[in-house]
Amino acid sequence: GEDVEQSLFLSVREGDSSVINCTYTDSSSTYLYWYKQEPGAGLQLLTYIFSNMDMKQDQRLTVLLNKKDKHLSLRIADTQTGDSAIYFCAETLFSGAGSYQLTFGKGTKLSVIP
Amino acid sequence: NAGVTQTPKFQVLKTGQSMTLQCAQDMNHEYMSWYRQDPGMGLRLIHYSVGAGITDQGEVPNGYNVSRSTTEDFPLRLLSAAPSQTSVYFCASSYSPTGEQFFGPGTRLTVL
C-alpha cells in the first residue's frame, strides 16, 4: 500500500523552532496538508500547499515542498507550549472512482518543554 | 454554524452488538468521510460519500455500513461489533474533494 511517512515524536524547547518532516507517495498529488490534533479533539487544518509551490509562509508556520524527493516539512517558529499536539501530514490521492481520498501519515507528537 | 457534530461521544458495546454512529454537518458540504484513529496507525478511511445517495469504500470498510440519504447526515453502522473495532471514530466533511476537511469531535468506542 501507499504510506505517508512521518517521525512519531519530536521534542523542542519553548522559543525554539520545530521542524516536522513528511515524505509522501504520489508525485501527482496536487494538494498537501498539515493538520493539528490537540488532546481529545478532532483534527484542524493548519495549512496546505499546492504542488506547484515550493514554499508557503503563514505567520509562524513555514511549509517547504521538495517535489523531486516527495518531501514536505512544517516549520513552527518560536514554538510555544500551546503548540504541543499531534501534527498530521496528508496528501490527496485520486481514488479512480471520480473522487479523491485524503491519506494521512501516522502523526508526529510534538512536545514543547517550558 | 455547528459545523460537524457526532453522537455519541463515548460508547461501550459487547461483542456482537450493533449500533449506529451519527454524523451531521450544517455547511452544505457534498463530501463526507468516516475515519478511525488507532494508536500508531494515524487515520484510516472507512467509507466516504461524494453526495446524497453516493457512497464508496475506503481503506478499511469491513464490518461497517454507511448510507447517505440527505446532504446533512452520514451515519456509520457497525453490524456486529468486534473488539478490533475499538477505536476513536471521526467524521469529516468538505466542500470539495480537495478542500479543507472539517472534523467532528470524535466518538470513542470500546468493544468488550
Side-chain angles (χ1 to χ4, degrees):
Chain A
E2 299 171 342
D3 290 322
V4 176
E5 300 286 343
Q6 301 178 241
S7 54
L8 294 182
F9 301 99
L10 177 65
S11 183
V12 300
R13 293 202 175 275
E14 190 174 15
D16 287 350
S17 292
S18 308
V19 180
I20 303 172
N21 294 302
C22 166
T23 53
Y24 60 97
T25 61
D26 191 339
S27 58
S28 63
S29 289
T30 53
Y31 295 82
L32 296 146
Y33 307 84
W34 285 104
Y35 279 83
K36 177 182 180 183
Q37 184 182 33
E38 297 185 351
L43 280 69
Q44 284 189 300
L45 181 67
L46 262 186
T47 187
Y48 65 94
I49 188 167
F50 293 111
S51 59
N52 63 356
M53 299 168 66
D54 298 323
M55 185 183 84
K56 180 179 180 182
Q57 189 150 1
D58 184 2
Q59 298 182 339
R60 294 190 296 122
L61 305 178
T62 303
V63 179
L64 295 178
L65 176 60
N66 180 331
K67 285 192 70 176
K68 175 177 169 291
D69 295 336
K70 297 181 195 170
H71 184 265
L72 184 72
S73 68
L74 173 70
R75 178 176 180 269
I76 305 172
D78 186 25
T79 311
Q80 303 298 307
T81 54
D83 295 323
S84 293
I86 302 176
Y87 291 81
F88 291 91
C89 170
E91 64 174 333
T92 305
L93 297 178
F94 183 62
S95 70
S99 185
Y100 295 83
Q101 293 185 16
L102 200 60
T103 300
F104 289 87
K106 292 181 171 50
T108 299
K109 184 173 183 179
L110 174 65
S111 299
V112 182
I113 305 165
Chain B
N1 284 353
V4 180
T5 58
Q6 290 183 240
T7 56
K9 289 191 186 305
F10 302 94
Q11 183 70 50
V12 179
L13 293 177
K14 294 182 180 177
T15 296
Q17 287 185 313
S18 63
M19 79 158 294
T20 299
L21 279 64
Q22 301 291 346
C23 174
Q25 52 91 10
D26 61 0
M27 297 173 281
N28 202 32
H29 287 168
E30 292 291 335
Y31 296 85
M32 296 186 74
S33 306
W34 275 102
Y35 297 88
R36 59 177 289 174
Q37 184 178 27
D38 302 293
M41 298 293 291
L43 274 82
R44 292 182 291 171
L45 183 65
I46 305 171
H47 285 284
Y48 66 99
S49 170
V50 300
I54 307 169
T55 64
D56 206 348
Q57 296 181 350
E59 181 185 354
V60 289
N62 292 342
Y64 307 95
N65 272 1
V66 291
S67 60
R68 185 96 179 270
S69 56
T70 67
T71 300
E72 294 77 19
D73 301 298
F74 191 41
L76 178 73
R77 280 182 287 278
L78 278 71
L79 309 172
S80 177
S84 61
Q85 294 178 305
T86 293
S87 187
V88 181
Y89 291 85
F90 289 101
C91 178
S93 73
S94 61
Y95 178 73
S96 71
T98 55
E100 176 182 359
Q101 293 217 9
F102 292 84
F103 283 81
T107 294
R108 187 175 293 274
L109 176 68
T110 301
V111 182
L112 303 175

